Amino acid sequence: MTATTRTRLSPQERRSQLLDLGVRLLATRSLDELSIDVLAEEAGISRGLLYHYFGNKHAFHEAVVRRAADDLIAQTAPPVDGDPIERLLISVTAYVDYVVANYEGYLSLVKGAAGGNDTLREIYDEARSALTDRVFREDAQAGSGLGTIITDTPTNRLLVRGWSAMSEELVLTWHAHPTGVSRDELIAIMATSLPALVAAQPDA
Amino acid sequence: MTATTRTRLSPQERRSQLLDLGVRLLATRSLDELSIDVLAEEAGISRGLLYHYFGNKHAFHEAVVRRAADDLIAQTAPPVDGDPIERLLISVTAYVDYVVANYEGYLSLVKGAAGGNDTLREIYDEARSALTDRVFREDAQAGSGLGTIITDTPTNRLLVRGWSAMSEELVLTWHAHPTGVSRDELIAIMATSLPALVAAQPDA
DNA sequence: TGCCGTTATTGAACAAGTGTCAATATACTG
DNA sequence: CAGTATATTGACACTTGTTCAATAACGGCA
């Protein structure tokens, strides 16, 4: 429509632009609706260029999901110091706020990863691990707070993972179907759940 | 290859066969990799026949997921009488055993539903609600056990839903990545988690 | 037993999207 | 201001979703 002159960017810039656009578009459509055609047109480039940068559709999707996951991890990074149980609260708060701010995109990430390839699932898994492993890492260096409660046992690993899935479900349904529960209440529910779950197990 | 003679089945039989095959195939590939081509070849029929029975690809996917969901609900129905907290244990046990027995199929359900469109998610949601609503239903008619703990509040509804997601994650990872945790321990973890989660909330 | 009508089933044809590659034009360099 | 490296294109081959008139298997009826 506008100009027929092709604009030539550096590989980094173009790659970055395409990934950003991919993540943004993922907010309004599902992963398999994110076709090469749509993205090429939206970016104002030819289809061929996408193949030049990403090889094929799956690889592109993978790159988009990975970028979204990295985004999530980066934006919910907890502070490195402070009381462990307080840092958990901060982490959870950051997570909730992130999901609320990027709800559509986050939903697409979850949906896309869960329903997709093994590779996609793996990326998603890594992201969740990155979020939850903090719990154990925080543990190790502190002798109080969570440190005294959550030891690194198979049962607790399982529990933390389960808690992670629960948290995801909680935020998503809380946002999708608002009830009387406030944001702070939700955060409190999530934060108190983890110690409660661990403490409820007879093993310890 | 083998025979060129076409076999003519009754609509019920054919439909059933195609759905069974769909569920089975979905266990080893993602939803969008479950193409009409693949299924037609695997079933030994023409692509056209699938369209005759299901209209289009989405409708077929929907039918496959629905079949998997119905299967799950039917096979994990809890007994109608007995101590509430004991029935919870029985329910959880049935659920775990079902997932272990039909791991591939259950994976299909989860993968298919999570990654799909709103209709698919709704089917999946219904299935999970069918499982969790029992908790509240069991509640109402009993004055002891869970009945005294889990009242029907927004917070508790949210918690039960979250617990459901956690349970799913627990069984799946427990089965996919076996650690030292035994089946009975897993069941105990899941069963004790629900009351623990509810009790941990200050509200009540 | 053998025709006959119902209808389950097919295969060819079309649409839309994925992937390939030699040709082209843009920005940089001397 | 050429000359060159290479980012970018557009046309083409191929896979996959979808439609529909033609075909053939099975049950019923003579």
Side-chain angles (χ1 to χ4, degrees), chain B residues 26-166:
Chain B
L26 198 57
T28 59
R29 61 210 87 204
S30 75
L31 199 65
D32 67 312
E33 282 167 354
L34 185 61
S35 65
I36 302 291
D37 269 326
V38 167
L39 198 123
E41 174 152 359
E42 206 78 22
I45 60 166
S46 68
R47 291 198 298 275
L49 194 58
L50 253 144
Y51 285 93
H52 176 252
Y53 278 105
F54 299 100
N56 59 31
K57 202 174 93 165
H58 274 75
F60 174 64
H61 285 167
E62 185 184 316
V64 169
V65 171
R66 178 160 282 141
R67 155 150 291 201
D70 288 346
D71 221 44
L72 167 65
I73 294 174
Q75 289 206 35
T76 61
V80 285
D81 56 334
D83 177 34
I85 204 153
E86 190 178 330
R87 284 191 310 202
L88 174 64
L89 193 65
I90 293 177
S91 255
V92 169
T93 302
Y95 173 64
V96 170
D97 288 344
Y98 176 85
V99 174
V100 171
N102 308 329
Y103 180 68
E104 308 296 341
Y106 186 72
L107 208 60
S108 302
L109 171 62
V110 175
K111 284 168 60 177
N117 59 33
D118 285 338
T119 311
L120 285 180
R121 290 171 65 89
E122 210 166 310
I123 296 172
Y124 178 59
D125 250 40
E126 280 174 26
R128 227 161 43 183
S129 292
L131 296 179
T132 55
D133 281 355
R134 297 169 182 169
V135 173
F136 290 111
R137 224 176 298 127
E138 286 171 4
D139 256 8
Q141 64 194 55
S144 63
L146 284 182
T148 60
I149 303 173
I150 306 180
T151 55
D152 194 346
T153 67
T155 298
N156 283 348
R157 285 238 166 229
L158 213 52
L159 271 178
V160 170
R161 200 185 168 93
W163 172 78
S164 185
M166 184 184 85

Side-chain angles (χ1 to χ4, degrees), chain A residues 6 8 35-37 47 51 56-57:
Chain A
R6 57 169 80 167
R8 179 186 175 128
S35 67
I36 302 291
D37 270 327
R47 291 199 301 275
Y51 285 95
N56 57 31
K57 201 175 94 167

Side-chain angles (χ1 to χ4, degrees), chain A residues 26-27 29-34 58 61-62 64-66 68 104-125 168 172, chain B residues 30-32 110-117 121:
Chain A
L26 200 58
R29 62 209 87 205
S30 75
L31 197 64
D32 68 313
E33 285 167 352
L34 186 61
H58 273 77
H61 283 168
E62 185 185 316
V64 169
V65 169
R66 179 160 281 141
E104 307 296 342
Y106 184 74
L107 202 60
S108 292
L109 168 65
V110 173
K111 284 168 59 176
N117 209 349
D118 280 342
T119 312
L120 284 180
R121 301 265 279 289
E122 211 167 310
I123 296 172
Y124 178 60
D125 249 39
E168 180 180 291
L172 288 180
Chain B
S30 75
L31 199 65
D32 67 312
V110 175
K111 284 168 60 177
N117 59 33
R121 290 171 65 89

